[in-house]
Amino acid sequence: MQLVLLGPPGAGKGTQAARLVERFDIPQISTGDILREHVQEGTMLGIRARSYMDRGEYVPDGLVVQMVMDRLDEPDAEKGFILDGFPRTVPQADALERALAEAERPLSAVLQFDIDDDMAVLRLSNRWTCPTCKRTYNLAFKPPLEDGICDFDATPLERRADDDELTVRRRLAVYREQTAPLQRFYAARGLLCVIEAEGKEDVVTERMLAALAGCP
Ligand SMILES: [Zn+2]
């Protein structure tokens, strides 16, 4: 099963991805992580990527796709993989599609987690995290027992700097602008499965699995 996940911040994509990993025993592949690994280990691809990064330039899409394809050769990805955070643009999607076709491992589906902006803002701007145990709370949906204090270790809770409402709305606008062409690209190929991401995590998981069952 070869999957790409799309979804704005606040859609709960990370949680659902973790459930897919567990259920189907396939890895979630982050291009950020593999890029860092290649650079750290000084592989040929890493050295080439480094030369762009040192000049303050973006690593070309073709090079990132090569790293992804390289990662897919590892035994844990034999049954499939989940790509999250890549592709972000149509040229990247295009390069990925060609490489996957060549490897005879075309995408099975593109899961798009949908949530409206107001709900995403409600989720993100009310999110507080405990710096000690990393538990997260949500003032709107899952508040701590005592205001601003972790239930488990009494540490004062913190909020991410980019989780205030204005910044969240800006992140969402950027996301929509960036992703709309990608959605059209995958919809045109009959790969796009839209999943309503509002509601409880378990309910969203059920919707996701139902959508997957209906995928080619
Ligand atoms: Zn805590």
Side-chain angles (χ1 to χ4, degrees):
M1 184 175 319
Q2 280 81 243
L3 301 173
V4 164
L5 306 189
L6 302 175
K13 190 165 52 100
T15 306
Q16 301 302 332
R19 292 179 176 193
L20 287 172
V21 166
E22 202 169 309
R23 186 170 183 109
F24 296 106
D25 190 27
I26 53 179
Q28 182 180 356
I29 294 171
S30 143
T31 47
D33 289 348
I34 49 183
L35 178 60
R36 271 188 294 278
E37 273 170 36
H38 275 279
V39 170
Q40 263 165 23
E41 289 166 18
T43 64
M44 285 304 292
L45 292 172
I47 291 167
R48 281 176 60 201
R50 185 73 192 264
S51 72
Y52 292 95
M53 293 156 87
D54 286 346
R55 291 197 297 265
E57 291 170 20
Y58 284 111
V59 178
D61 293 342
L63 202 51
V64 178
V65 168
Q66 273 186 53
M67 289 183 188
V68 171
M69 297 312 293
D70 201 67
R71 174 67 183 81
L72 300 188
D73 280 341
E74 285 175 38
D76 67 334
E78 207 172 297
K79 280 190 277 180
F81 56 83
I82 299 165
L83 277 173
D84 181 9
F86 185 89
R88 280 187 199 278
T89 64
V90 169
Q92 286 175 352
D94 208 43
L96 178 70
E97 183 178 62
R98 275 181 279 123
L100 289 174
E102 214 165 287
E104 297 182 357
R105 301 187 73 182
L107 290 177
S108 318
V110 175
L111 304 181
Q112 183 199 325
F113 294 88
D114 247 10
I115 185 169
D116 71 45
D117 281 7
D118 289 338
M119 180 55 77
V121 167
L122 206 58
R123 282 188 181 176
L124 292 174
S125 62
N126 286 299
R127 187 167 68 175
W128 290 75
T129 308
C130 170
T132 304
C133 69
K134 311 293 177 208
R135 281 188 173 83
T136 59
Y137 296 87
N138 189 295
L139 296 193
F141 306 111
K142 196 176 80 175
L145 296 173
E146 199 182 328
D147 251 7
I149 302 284
C150 178
D151 292 349
F152 296 85
D153 47 40
T155 308
L157 301 176
E158 290 176 350
R159 194 161 89 151
R160 264 174 52 168
D162 58 353
D163 275 351
D164 70 276
E165 177 165 350
L166 210 69
T167 314
V168 168
R169 291 214 183 263
R170 207 172 302 134
R171 279 159 65 201
L172 289 167
V174 168
Y175 171 83
R176 303 235 183 260
E177 200 182 298
Q178 202 177 40
T179 318
L182 208 52
Q183 288 170 8
R184 287 194 291 273
F185 178 92
Y186 286 124
R189 285 155 175 76
L191 287 171
L192 196 69
C193 298
V194 178
I195 295 153
E196 176 57 60
E198 276 172 40
K200 290 202 162 63
E201 287 172 352
D202 289 347
V203 175
V204 177
T205 302
E206 273 168 37
R207 285 186 200 132
M208 170 176 73
L209 294 175
L212 273 179
C215 287

